[in-house]
């Protein structure tokens, strides 16, 4: 197999409800899509989880495109018979994990038969609008992640009032808290909360808080690579690690990391980044190897439209995935 073309596209759809976090408010999700075209005219696609700006990560849509565009010159017309044949070329992307993840998503499909499978539904709610509450009532996710905000107590009360099904709660603070912020939120000790993501920007603050009365602490933004993660769990009271494939370099890196963390008796959750169906399929595939439901949502949860419409159908708390089929006509060439 040889790669004769590498093409770039983008897709930009509106969220049903704006995404409001401690760091940003988003009304749309623009995504970069890369297409590898082989010498047999087969197309394989990868979706980048980078954002337009560096609000969440230093790699952006623009930087990922630039890196992959330059890297594409090294791979064209090279023979790749196995996934292992790509490793020397993927090493060229080691310093750019989001770009590597985007490429690996496409490459993985060249050598692996993509399965159909089911996975538990893990919803994320931010800004907790009436529309979101209605969606949560209707879809009944077994795990709900709530973004930390000034209205946290009110939001927890809304969930307890409106939702009748049993669910686990996760709180995501996005490194935005001080110790007083955590200690004053008395409600969190009386809920069925399985973990709190990234309460503090500085991990050293974890050693200054009595965590016996709190849920497990998870790292997310700080879970950059295996070396960093192992160092953190050896020095701080971290019991859960959120693995985001785009941050660690792709599906192959994530699979290896999950195995390593389980050997260290650390629980794993696979996180998504407001993805479209292509990326969501691979996040869900990895989430089956985790210990808690990941950030896996059904088709249509965030967006009315998707270039892989129909990926992830919800039934009785489980999401059923079939291999993604790309509607290339919906993609816009990225000039």
């Amino acid at each position: 197999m040889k790669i004769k073309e590498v093409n770039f596209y983008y897709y930009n759809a509106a969220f049903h409800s704006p995404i409001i976090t401690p760091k940003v408010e988003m009304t749309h999700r623009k995504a970069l899509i890369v297409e590898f075209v082989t010498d047999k005219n087969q197309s394989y696609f990868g979706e980048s989880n980078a954002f337009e700006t560096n609000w969440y990560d230093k790699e952006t849509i623009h930087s990922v495109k630039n890196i992959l565009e330059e890297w594409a010159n090294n791979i064209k017309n090279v023979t790749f018979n196995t996934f292992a044949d790509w490793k020397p070329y993927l090493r060229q992307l080691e310093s750019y994990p989001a770009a590597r993840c985007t490429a690996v998503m496409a490459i993985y499909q060249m050598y692996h038969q993509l399965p159909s499978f089911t996975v538990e539904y893990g919803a994320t709610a931010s800004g907790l609008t009436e529309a979101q509450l209605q969606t949560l009532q209707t879809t009944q996710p077994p795990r709900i992640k709530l973004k930390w905000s000034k209205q946290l107590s009110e939001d927890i009360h809304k969930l307890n009032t409106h939702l009748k099904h049993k669910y686990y709660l996760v709180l995501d603070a996005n490194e935005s808290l001080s110790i007083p912020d955590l200690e004053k939120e008395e409600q969190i000790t009386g809920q069925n909360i399985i973990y709190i993501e990234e309460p503090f920007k500085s991990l050293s603050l974890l050693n200054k808080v009595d965590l016996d009365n709190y849920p497990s602490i998870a790292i997310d933004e700080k879970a950059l690579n295996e070396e960093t993660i192992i160092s953190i769990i050896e020095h701080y009271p971290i019991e859960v690690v959120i693995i985001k494939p785009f941050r660690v370099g792709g599906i192959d890196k994530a699979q290896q990391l999950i195995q390593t963390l389980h050997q260290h008796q650390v629980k794993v959750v696979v996180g998504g980044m407001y993805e479209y169906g292509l990326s969501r399929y691979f996040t869900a595939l990895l989430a089956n190897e985790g210990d808690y439901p990941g950030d896996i949502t059904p088709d249509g949860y965030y967006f009315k439209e998707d270039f892989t419409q129909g990926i992830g159908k919800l039934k009785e708390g489980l999401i059923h995935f079939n291999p993604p089929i790309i509607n290339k006509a919906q993609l816009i060439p990225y000039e």
Side-chain angles (χ1 to χ4, degrees):
M1 176 188 298
K2 294 182 179 180
I3 305 300
K4 68 175 186 179
E5 292 179 32
V6 178
N7 301 317
F8 297 90
Y9 307 89
Y10 71 87
Y11 190 76
N12 194 20
F15 289 104
H16 288 306
S17 300
I19 299 299
I20 302 170
T21 79
K23 292 183 178 181
V24 72
E25 178 174 343
M26 295 183 294
T27 60
H28 290 69
R29 176 53 154 135
K30 185 176 182 179
L32 172 70
I33 313 299
V34 62
E35 177 192 25
F36 290 73
V37 184
T38 73
D39 54 350
K40 295 182 180 180
N41 291 318
Q42 295 172 299
S43 288
Y44 299 92
F45 294 86
E47 175 185 335
S48 174
N49 290 155
F51 293 95
E52 290 186 85
T53 67
N54 63 353
W55 74 271
Y56 190 81
D57 188 79
K58 64 181 180 181
E59 288 185 82
T60 65
I61 288 175
H62 184 68
S63 73
V64 168
K65 179 180 181 291
N66 284 348
I67 291 297
L68 291 181
E69 204 164 32
E70 182 177 343
W71 177 75
N73 295 321
N74 300 332
I75 64 170
K76 288 180 182 177
N77 298 313
V78 177
T79 299
F80 298 101
N81 292 318
T82 67
F83 187 83
D85 290 342
W86 284 89
K87 289 186 177 180
Y89 296 89
L90 291 174
R91 277 196 289 271
Q92 298 170 9
L93 298 175
E94 287 290 327
S95 299
Y96 311 98
R100 187 186 187 280
C101 177
T102 307
V104 168
M105 191 181 300
I107 296 165
Y108 185 90
Q109 298 172 64
M110 299 175 189
Y111 307 99
H112 297 83
Q113 184 69 39
L114 299 185
S116 297
F117 60 91
T118 59
V119 65
E120 283 192 292
Y121 169 26
T124 297
S126 61
L128 211 57
T129 63
E130 288 299 319
Q132 282 192 328
L133 280 170
Q134 184 58 51
T135 298
L136 294 172
Q137 283 180 294
T138 303
T139 58
Q140 299 188 5
R143 187 226 72 179
I144 298 173
K145 179 194 290 187
L146 195 60
K147 294 291 185 178
W148 199 293
S149 70
K150 294 179 181 179
Q151 294 80 39
L152 180 63
S153 295
E154 180 183 341
D155 287 344
I156 292 175
H157 178 72
K158 284 182 180 178
L159 292 177
N160 290 338
T161 301
H162 287 80
L163 304 186
K164 306 305 179 185
H165 72 286
K166 292 182 179 179
Y167 61 91
Y168 294 104
L169 189 61
V170 170
L171 301 180
D172 185 3
N174 285 116
E175 302 180 325
S176 65
L177 304 184
S178 64
I179 291 177
D181 290 331
L182 182 66
E183 292 178 337
K184 75 180 181 182
E185 205 60 64
E186 297 180 0
Q187 273 216 59
I188 68 173
T189 61
Q191 303 293 322
N192 193 20
I193 299 170
I194 47 179
Y195 57 87
I196 302 174
E197 288 186 29
E198 294 280 10
F200 308 126
K201 191 168 185 64
S202 172
L203 286 166
S204 63
L205 294 182
L206 292 173
N207 293 330
K208 299 179 181 180
V209 179
D210 181 2
L211 294 174
D212 290 342
N213 295 322
Y214 290 94
S216 297
I217 301 298
I219 56 169
D220 178 5
E221 283 89 345
K222 297 178 180 65
L224 299 174
N225 52 57
E226 183 172 320
E227 182 181 3
T228 300
I229 293 168
I230 297 304
S231 177
I232 288 173
I233 65 177
E234 287 177 346
H235 291 91
Y236 300 100
I238 301 298
E239 299 179 15
V240 181
V241 173
I242 316 298
I243 295 177
K244 288 184 172 163
F246 89 98
R247 185 184 287 123
V248 301
I251 184 172
D252 58 327
K253 295 268 192 181
Q255 288 172 326
Q256 179 58 52
L257 186 51
I258 290 169
Q259 294 178 17
T260 300
L261 288 171
H262 282 161
Q263 290 169 3
H264 284 78
Q265 308 302 311
V266 173
K267 296 187 182 301
V268 170
V269 177
V270 176
M273 291 301 299
Y274 309 115
E275 303 152 307
Y276 294 108
L278 175 59
S279 183
R280 194 156 43 88
Y281 173 90
F282 285 95
T283 300
L285 187 64
L286 285 167
N288 268 332
E289 302 179 36
D291 298 282
Y292 297 125
D295 296 333
I296 314 299
T297 50
D299 179 54
Y301 182 82
Y302 287 120
F303 314 101
K304 182 179 179 181
E305 301 294 335
D306 194 320
F307 63 93
T308 54
Q309 199 78 28
I311 296 297
K313 291 298 184 182
L314 178 65
K315 185 177 180 181
E316 297 178 351
L318 294 175
I319 306 179
H320 300 254
F321 282 89
N322 290 317
I325 298 175
I326 308 303
N327 184 349
K328 187 175 173 179
Q330 290 187 284
L331 301 178
I332 301 171
Y334 200 126
E335 304 298 340

